[in-house]
Amino acid sequence: MKILGIETSCDETAIAIIEAKSSRIEVLSNAISSQVKLHAKFGGVVPNLAAREHAKNIGHVFKTALADAETDIDGIGLISVTRGPGLAPALLTGLTFARTLAWKYDKPIVGVNHLDGHIHSNWLMPIGVKTQNSKLKIQNFGDKIFPALNLIVSGGHTELVLMQDHGKYKIIGETLDDAVGEAFDKVARLLGLGYPGGPQIARLAEQFALNNAGSIRINADTIIKFPRPMIKSKDFNFSYSGLKTSVLYKVRELKENKTKLTDSVVNEICYEFQKAAIEVLVQKTLKAAAQFKTKAVLLSGGVSANKYLREELSKNCAKAGIRYFQPAMEYTGDNATMIACAGYFRYAQIPTTSRNKFSWKSIKMDANLSLS
Ligand code: AMP
Ligand code: MG
């Protein structure tokens, strides 16, 4: 069965086609039109501007997705669209497009949660990759991974989600203020590194690590130190706004002491900030996995592109004897393959006789949609 996914919750207009085979999911196309450059000058995403761009680009992205997958709308068995959470005007554009397609071509349609999408980026087989080269992917649906623990980290979310099965979720921890990706973006902004800041900070942190490899300043003795917020708290919540403020105070202090923010000082700030942010994520995830006796840890969301986070989580899960999965790099950011995949699992769980409820009439947007 081929599934068409549509995602417009933020600043990516994305349409993709996947094919669900008996034991694995293959990606046939993954078309994305990004508005990052447009919003960069505002330092963040402007909702109405995002909606206008989605409306302008969605027809073209749709055609590209069909052409890349070498199929047409008749070959599509299900439409899956993000119905929340996200920016209301942006969500509405994709939802209206999806409902119109479902109505015009008489296709079943399912509305999915954007975070359910991120979780399912772990099930995707990248274009051109063969099973044996993809050991880290969950491909065999019989894999014993439940209960699993999801760490979802993005520009809008930092969540620990217990997963008993597809669609059965319980949020056990979340950020009390800023999301971790948001903290990366805000710290980058105050260091003048541009938007989105995550990749820039990661790059400069890596530079610092490379330049100081073997030096005592790595690990033991960075001159600049930041706190690890809530690392010892008994719950599984996070807080990133204080860490961002600590960076702000450090930058102010350095300037007052007439210390120049040279490249090497900026790199060190990025290194220590990234280390602090990620140490908390990894420790809390491992603690939750032990407490809830989960069989696997699944990473996802835009920040899951961070190499240091991937390495640390992988290393620590291996040490604790827990299976660990991470999405292929191309599915870490917002995309529609993951939306198609989440929709497929929801559809597959419903008995064939009840599938008439997957109608364009019953899909509604919910900008604050929750996972559990
Ligand atoms: P999303 O909200 O899922 O679209 O993800 C976007 C967020 O991921 C933004 O806050 C980015 O700064 C962040 N991000 C992307 N790549 C990285 C990276 N390599 N390291 C840290 N954060 C990242
Ligand atoms: Mg996202």
Side-chain angles (χ1 to χ4, degrees):
M1 178 194 212
K2 288 185 183 139
I3 303 108
L4 179 87
I6 300 180
E7 152 66 38
T8 63
S9 66
C10 194
D11 59 346
E12 323 279 357
T13 317
I15 301 194
I17 296 168
I18 62 167
E19 183 161 15
K21 298 201 165 162
S22 56
S23 67
R24 63 202 173 121
I25 304 267
E26 281 180 14
V27 174
L28 303 184
S29 67
N30 182 19
I32 304 179
S33 166
S34 174
Q35 308 169 13
V36 163
K37 280 195 189 130
L38 185 74
H39 297 280
K41 53 180 177 283
F42 301 103
V45 182
V46 184
N48 284 336
L49 192 57
R52 193 189 71 189
E53 288 301 300
H54 287 316
K56 199 161 87 187
N57 296 325
I58 201 160
H60 174 67
V61 175
F62 174 59
K63 276 191 186 162
T64 307
L66 286 177
D68 289 354
E70 296 176 2
T71 187
D72 56 22
I73 192 75
D74 293 337
I76 301 296
L78 175 70
I79 297 172
S80 176
V81 59
T82 308
R83 73 176 192 95
L87 306 169
L91 283 164
L92 261 185
T93 319
L95 212 61
T96 308
F97 188 80
R99 292 177 79 222
T100 309
L101 283 180
W103 166 74
K104 183 161 188 243
Y105 297 102
D106 196 22
K107 302 279 176 194
I109 178 169
V110 52
V112 305
N113 186 306
H114 179 81
L115 297 181
D116 198 6
H118 274 305
I119 288 171
H120 282 88
S121 58
N122 278 290
W123 269 264
L124 296 164
M125 171 79 80
I127 297 170
V129 173
K130 299 272 177 287
T131 326
Q132 61 269 32
N133 297 332
S134 169
K135 283 197 210 111
L136 286 180
K137 299 251 79 54
I138 310 168
Q139 281 304 327
N140 181 352
F141 299 161
D143 272 0
K144 303 264 182 297
I145 61 156
F146 299 128
L149 179 67
N150 288 278
L151 173 64
I152 312 173
V153 278
S154 72
H157 296 90
T158 307
E159 320 234 349
L160 276 171
V161 180
L162 208 55
M163 180 180 190
Q164 295 295 347
D165 198 350
H166 299 278
K168 285 207 183 119
Y169 303 118
K170 186 169 179 226
I171 298 173
I172 57 163
E174 60 194 342
T175 182
L176 302 178
D177 39 60
D178 291 353
V180 63
E182 190 179 352
F184 270 85
D185 293 337
K186 286 179 174 170
V187 166
R189 178 142 46 142
L190 72 91
L191 293 171
L193 300 176
Y195 171 87
Q200 306 291 351
I201 293 202
R203 189 174 57 79
L204 299 184
E206 201 172 336
Q207 193 77 56
F208 180 81
L210 276 175
N211 292 346
N212 293 279
S215 129
I216 192 160
R217 286 176 71 192
I218 290 285
N219 298 323
D221 206 18
T222 41
I223 293 159
I224 294 170
K225 283 276 173 221
F226 295 128
R228 272 66 176 153
M230 295 183 72
I231 200 158
K232 295 217 152 45
S233 74
K234 293 217 162 59
D235 56 24
F236 297 111
N237 291 329
F238 303 92
S239 164
Y240 280 103
S241 123
L243 176 57
K244 168 208 66 193
T245 309
S246 301
V247 179
L248 175 70
Y249 288 165
K250 177 54 75 181
V251 169
R252 272 194 202 150
E253 181 196 307
L254 292 170
K255 282 183 181 161
E256 275 160 18
N257 293 341
K258 309 259 181 293
T259 307
K260 275 210 179 111
L261 280 186
T262 57
D263 286 355
S264 92
V265 174
V266 169
N267 290 0
E268 182 162 351
I269 292 175
C270 291
Y271 175 83
E272 170 62 6
F273 162 76
Q274 174 174 277
K275 199 157 182 250
I278 284 170
E279 227 168 87
V280 184
L281 289 176
V282 172
Q283 278 206 25
K284 288 215 147 172
T285 304
L286 266 294
K287 202 171 124 194
Q291 182 164 322
F292 290 93
K293 299 189 173 46
T294 62
K295 292 192 181 131
V297 164
L298 278 61
L299 177 66
S300 64
V303 183
S304 72
N306 187 284
K307 270 199 230 153
Y308 182 64
L309 171 59
R310 291 163 85 94
E311 283 162 15
E312 287 297 298
L313 211 46
S314 166
K315 207 165 65 189
N316 282 280
C317 284
K319 232 190 268 171
I322 301 169
R323 295 180 76 187
Y324 167 70
F325 299 93
Q326 60 190 16
M329 274 295 191
E330 59 261 55
Y331 309 130
T332 54
D334 287 349
N335 68 85
T337 58
M338 64 186 202
I339 302 301
C341 188
Y344 166 71
F345 278 103
R346 264 203 60 197
Y347 187 76
Q349 279 173 335
I350 304 289
T352 339
T353 46
S354 310
R355 285 188 180 161
N356 55 357
K357 66 179 175 192
F358 290 100
S359 151
W360 62 271
K361 289 180 204 153
S362 53
I363 307 274
K364 288 196 177 59
M365 185 201 75
D366 182 350
N368 300 310
L369 186 64
S370 168
L371 251 190
S372 58

Short mmCIF file of all heavy atoms in Angstrom, two decimals, residues 10-12 114 118 153-157 180-185 195-203 274 278 301-307 329 332-334 338, ligand 1:
data_model
loop_
_atom_site.label_atom_id
_atom_site.label_comp_id
_atom_site.label_asym_id
_atom_site.label_seq_id
_atom_site.Cartn_x
_atom_site.Cartn_y
_atom_site.Cartn_z
N CYS A 10 4.76 23.84 10.46
CA CYS A 10 5.66 24.95 10.79
C CYS A 10 6.16 25.61 9.50
O CYS A 10 5.36 26.15 8.75
CB CYS A 10 6.78 24.43 11.68
SG CYS A 10 7.72 25.74 12.48
N ASP A 11 7.44 25.54 9.24
CA ASP A 11 7.97 26.28 8.07
C ASP A 11 8.50 25.38 6.96
O ASP A 11 9.26 25.82 6.11
CB ASP A 11 9.04 27.28 8.51
CG ASP A 11 10.21 26.61 9.21
OD1 ASP A 11 10.08 25.42 9.59
OD2 ASP A 11 11.25 27.25 9.38
N GLU A 12 8.11 24.09 6.97
CA GLU A 12 8.47 23.23 5.85
C GLU A 12 7.17 22.78 5.17
O GLU A 12 6.27 22.27 5.83
CB GLU A 12 9.19 21.93 6.30
CG GLU A 12 10.14 22.07 7.46
CD GLU A 12 11.49 22.61 7.05
OE1 GLU A 12 11.71 22.82 5.84
OE2 GLU A 12 12.32 22.84 7.94
N HIS A 114 1.75 15.57 14.96
CA HIS A 114 3.10 15.82 14.45
C HIS A 114 4.16 15.02 15.25
O HIS A 114 5.13 14.50 14.67
CB HIS A 114 3.38 17.33 14.55
CG HIS A 114 4.73 17.74 14.10
ND1 HIS A 114 5.06 17.90 12.77
CD2 HIS A 114 5.85 18.01 14.78
CE1 HIS A 114 6.32 18.27 12.67
NE2 HIS A 114 6.83 18.33 13.88
N HIS A 118 7.14 12.29 14.33
CA HIS A 118 8.57 12.24 14.70
C HIS A 118 8.94 10.85 15.24
O HIS A 118 9.96 10.28 14.86
CB HIS A 118 8.91 13.32 15.73
CG HIS A 118 9.23 14.65 15.11
ND1 HIS A 118 10.21 14.80 14.15
CD2 HIS A 118 8.70 15.88 15.30
CE1 HIS A 118 10.28 16.08 13.78
NE2 HIS A 118 9.36 16.75 14.45
N VAL A 153 12.94 15.59 20.77
CA VAL A 153 13.61 16.88 21.01
C VAL A 153 13.56 17.73 19.75
O VAL A 153 14.07 17.35 18.71
CB VAL A 153 15.07 16.66 21.46
CG1 VAL A 153 15.15 16.35 22.93
CG2 VAL A 153 15.76 15.55 20.67
N SER A 154 12.92 18.90 19.87
CA SER A 154 12.79 19.75 18.68
C SER A 154 12.77 21.21 19.08
O SER A 154 13.03 21.55 20.23
CB SER A 154 11.51 19.37 17.92
OG SER A 154 10.40 19.81 18.65
N GLY A 155 12.41 22.08 18.11
CA GLY A 155 12.34 23.50 18.40
C GLY A 155 11.16 23.84 19.29
O GLY A 155 11.16 24.88 19.96
N GLY A 156 10.16 22.98 19.34
CA GLY A 156 8.96 23.27 20.13
C GLY A 156 8.72 22.27 21.25
O GLY A 156 7.85 22.50 22.10
N HIS A 157 9.46 21.16 21.27
CA HIS A 157 9.17 20.10 22.24
C HIS A 157 10.42 19.47 22.84
O HIS A 157 11.44 19.34 22.16
CB HIS A 157 8.33 18.99 21.60
CG HIS A 157 6.99 19.47 21.16
ND1 HIS A 157 6.76 19.97 19.91
CD2 HIS A 157 5.82 19.55 21.84
CE1 HIS A 157 5.49 20.35 19.83
NE2 HIS A 157 4.90 20.11 20.97
N VAL A 180 14.44 22.26 24.10
CA VAL A 180 15.90 22.25 23.96
C VAL A 180 16.35 22.89 22.64
O VAL A 180 17.33 23.65 22.61
CB VAL A 180 16.47 20.82 24.19
CG1 VAL A 180 15.98 19.83 23.17
CG2 VAL A 180 18.00 20.84 24.21
N GLY A 181 15.61 22.65 21.55
CA GLY A 181 15.97 23.26 20.26
C GLY A 181 15.85 24.78 20.32
O GLY A 181 16.66 25.51 19.75
N GLU A 182 14.83 25.23 21.06
CA GLU A 182 14.61 26.67 21.24
C GLU A 182 15.81 27.27 21.99
O GLU A 182 16.27 28.37 21.66
CB GLU A 182 13.33 26.82 22.07
CG GLU A 182 12.78 28.19 22.21
CD GLU A 182 11.48 28.17 23.06
OE1 GLU A 182 10.97 27.07 23.39
OE2 GLU A 182 11.00 29.26 23.37
N ALA A 183 16.32 26.55 22.98
CA ALA A 183 17.49 27.04 23.74
C ALA A 183 18.71 27.12 22.81
O ALA A 183 19.44 28.12 22.85
CB ALA A 183 17.77 26.11 24.92
N PHE A 184 18.90 26.11 21.97
CA PHE A 184 20.00 26.17 20.99
C PHE A 184 19.83 27.43 20.12
O PHE A 184 20.78 28.16 19.86
CB PHE A 184 20.01 24.93 20.09
CG PHE A 184 20.86 23.79 20.61
CD1 PHE A 184 20.34 22.88 21.52
CD2 PHE A 184 22.17 23.62 20.18
CE1 PHE A 184 21.11 21.81 21.99
CE2 PHE A 184 22.96 22.56 20.64
CZ PHE A 184 22.42 21.65 21.55
N ASP A 185 18.59 27.66 19.64
CA ASP A 185 18.34 28.80 18.75
C ASP A 185 18.58 30.14 19.46
O ASP A 185 19.15 31.06 18.89
CB ASP A 185 16.90 28.75 18.20
CG ASP A 185 16.69 27.56 17.28
OD1 ASP A 185 17.69 27.04 16.72
OD2 ASP A 185 15.53 27.12 17.12
N TYR A 195 20.01 31.89 12.47
CA TYR A 195 18.89 30.98 12.72
C TYR A 195 18.77 29.98 11.58
O TYR A 195 18.95 30.37 10.43
CB TYR A 195 17.60 31.80 12.84
CG TYR A 195 16.35 30.96 12.89
CD1 TYR A 195 15.88 30.46 14.10
CD2 TYR A 195 15.67 30.64 11.71
CE1 TYR A 195 14.75 29.67 14.13
CE2 TYR A 195 14.54 29.84 11.75
CZ TYR A 195 14.09 29.36 12.96
OH TYR A 195 12.98 28.57 12.99
N PRO A 196 18.44 28.70 11.80
CA PRO A 196 18.31 28.06 13.12
C PRO A 196 19.69 27.80 13.72
O PRO A 196 20.65 27.48 13.02
CB PRO A 196 17.59 26.75 12.80
CG PRO A 196 17.93 26.46 11.38
CD PRO A 196 18.19 27.77 10.70
N GLY A 197 19.76 27.93 15.04
CA GLY A 197 21.05 27.95 15.71
C GLY A 197 21.64 26.58 16.02
O GLY A 197 22.86 26.46 16.20
N GLY A 198 20.78 25.55 16.11
CA GLY A 198 21.26 24.23 16.52
C GLY A 198 22.48 23.75 15.73
O GLY A 198 23.52 23.44 16.31
N PRO A 199 22.35 23.71 14.40
CA PRO A 199 23.48 23.20 13.61
C PRO A 199 24.75 24.06 13.77
O PRO A 199 25.86 23.53 13.78
CB PRO A 199 22.96 23.28 12.17
CG PRO A 199 21.47 23.30 12.28
CD PRO A 199 21.16 23.96 13.58
N GLN A 200 24.58 25.39 13.92
CA GLN A 200 25.75 26.28 14.08
C GLN A 200 26.46 25.98 15.40
O GLN A 200 27.69 25.86 15.45
CB GLN A 200 25.32 27.76 14.13
CG GLN A 200 24.49 28.21 12.98
CD GLN A 200 25.30 28.26 11.71
OE1 GLN A 200 26.52 28.12 11.73
NE2 GLN A 200 24.64 28.41 10.59
N ILE A 201 25.68 25.86 16.48
CA ILE A 201 26.27 25.59 17.79
C ILE A 201 26.98 24.25 17.76
O ILE A 201 28.12 24.11 18.24
CB ILE A 201 25.19 25.63 18.89
CG1 ILE A 201 24.69 27.06 19.00
CG2 ILE A 201 25.72 25.09 20.22
CD1 ILE A 201 24.04 27.46 20.26
N ALA A 202 26.34 23.25 17.16
CA ALA A 202 26.94 21.91 17.10
C ALA A 202 28.27 21.97 16.35
O ALA A 202 29.25 21.33 16.74
CB ALA A 202 25.97 20.95 16.41
N ARG A 203 28.29 22.75 15.26
CA ARG A 203 29.51 22.84 14.43
C ARG A 203 30.64 23.49 15.22
O ARG A 203 31.78 23.00 15.24
CB ARG A 203 29.19 23.67 13.18
CG ARG A 203 30.28 23.70 12.13
CD ARG A 203 29.80 24.43 10.87
NE ARG A 203 29.34 25.79 11.13
CZ ARG A 203 30.14 26.84 11.29
NH1 ARG A 203 31.45 26.69 11.23
NH2 ARG A 203 29.63 28.03 11.52
N GLN A 274 26.32 23.01 24.81
CA GLN A 274 25.81 21.77 24.21
C GLN A 274 25.97 20.60 25.18
O GLN A 274 25.07 19.77 25.34
CB GLN A 274 26.56 21.49 22.90
CG GLN A 274 26.20 20.15 22.30
CD GLN A 274 26.84 19.92 20.94
OE1 GLN A 274 26.32 20.39 19.93
NE2 GLN A 274 27.96 19.23 20.90
N ILE A 278 22.85 18.48 26.74
CA ILE A 278 22.71 17.07 26.34
C ILE A 278 22.93 16.11 27.50
O ILE A 278 22.27 15.06 27.58
CB ILE A 278 23.60 16.81 25.11
CG1 ILE A 278 22.87 17.42 23.92
CG2 ILE A 278 23.89 15.32 24.90
CD1 ILE A 278 23.61 17.50 22.66
N GLY A 301 12.96 14.00 16.41
CA GLY A 301 12.81 15.46 16.44
C GLY A 301 14.02 16.15 15.83
O GLY A 301 15.07 15.52 15.65
N GLY A 302 13.88 17.44 15.53
CA GLY A 302 14.94 18.19 14.85
C GLY A 302 16.30 18.11 15.53
O GLY A 302 17.33 18.01 14.87
N VAL A 303 16.30 18.14 16.87
CA VAL A 303 17.57 18.12 17.60
C VAL A 303 18.24 16.74 17.54
O VAL A 303 19.42 16.58 17.85
CB VAL A 303 17.36 18.60 19.07
CG1 VAL A 303 18.66 18.66 19.84
CG2 VAL A 303 16.70 19.98 19.08
N SER A 304 17.48 15.72 17.09
CA SER A 304 18.08 14.39 16.98
C SER A 304 19.12 14.34 15.87
O SER A 304 19.83 13.35 15.71
CB SER A 304 17.02 13.30 16.77
OG SER A 304 16.48 13.38 15.47
N ALA A 305 19.27 15.45 15.12
CA ALA A 305 20.36 15.54 14.12
C ALA A 305 21.69 15.80 14.82
O ALA A 305 22.75 15.70 14.20
CB ALA A 305 20.07 16.67 13.14
N ASN A 306 21.64 16.16 16.11
CA ASN A 306 22.88 16.50 16.82
C ASN A 306 23.74 15.26 17.05
O ASN A 306 23.34 14.32 17.74
CB ASN A 306 22.52 17.16 18.17
CG ASN A 306 23.74 17.70 18.88
OD1 ASN A 306 24.50 16.94 19.44
ND2 ASN A 306 23.91 18.99 18.83
N LYS A 307 24.95 15.28 16.48
CA LYS A 307 25.82 14.10 16.51
C LYS A 307 26.23 13.73 17.92
O LYS A 307 26.31 12.55 18.27
CB LYS A 307 27.09 14.39 15.71
CG LYS A 307 26.97 14.02 14.26
CD LYS A 307 28.37 13.90 13.68
CE LYS A 307 28.46 14.71 12.39
NZ LYS A 307 29.79 15.19 12.08
N MET A 329 19.48 10.56 9.25
CA MET A 329 19.64 12.03 9.30
C MET A 329 18.57 12.76 8.49
O MET A 329 18.06 13.79 8.92
CB MET A 329 21.01 12.43 8.75
CG MET A 329 22.09 12.39 9.80
SD MET A 329 21.78 13.63 11.07
CE MET A 329 23.32 13.58 11.94
N THR A 332 15.28 13.55 10.41
CA THR A 332 15.29 14.16 11.74
C THR A 332 14.45 15.44 11.76
O THR A 332 13.71 15.68 12.70
CB THR A 332 16.72 14.48 12.20
OG1 THR A 332 17.36 15.28 11.20
CG2 THR A 332 17.53 13.22 12.43
N GLY A 333 14.57 16.26 10.73
CA GLY A 333 13.81 17.51 10.68
C GLY A 333 12.38 17.24 10.25
O GLY A 333 12.01 16.09 9.95
N ASP A 334 11.56 18.29 10.21
CA ASP A 334 10.16 18.10 9.80
C ASP A 334 10.11 17.61 8.35
O ASP A 334 10.77 18.16 7.48
CB ASP A 334 9.41 19.43 9.93
CG ASP A 334 9.16 19.77 11.39
OD1 ASP A 334 9.38 18.90 12.25
OD2 ASP A 334 8.76 20.92 11.66
N MET A 338 7.50 10.76 7.73
CA MET A 338 7.15 10.33 9.09
C MET A 338 5.65 10.46 9.34
O MET A 338 5.06 9.67 10.09
CB MET A 338 7.97 11.14 10.12
CG MET A 338 7.66 12.62 10.13
SD MET A 338 8.77 13.54 11.22
CE MET A 338 7.77 15.01 11.54
P1 AMP B 1 11.91 20.83 14.45
O1 AMP B 1 11.28 21.70 15.51
O2 AMP B 1 11.64 19.39 14.60
O3 AMP B 1 11.67 21.37 13.06
O4 AMP B 1 13.50 20.98 14.65
C1 AMP B 1 14.15 22.21 14.51
C2 AMP B 1 15.04 22.45 15.72
O5 AMP B 1 16.13 21.52 15.71
C3 AMP B 1 15.65 23.84 15.74
O6 AMP B 1 15.50 24.36 17.04
C4 AMP B 1 17.10 23.59 15.40
O7 AMP B 1 17.99 24.54 15.96
C5 AMP B 1 17.32 22.21 16.00
N1 AMP B 1 18.47 21.50 15.42
C6 AMP B 1 18.64 21.12 14.13
N2 AMP B 1 19.85 20.53 13.97
C7 AMP B 1 20.46 20.55 15.18
C8 AMP B 1 21.73 20.10 15.68
N3 AMP B 1 22.63 19.51 14.88
N4 AMP B 1 22.00 20.28 16.99
C9 AMP B 1 21.09 20.86 17.81
N5 AMP B 1 19.90 21.32 17.41
C10 AMP B 1 19.57 21.15 16.11
#
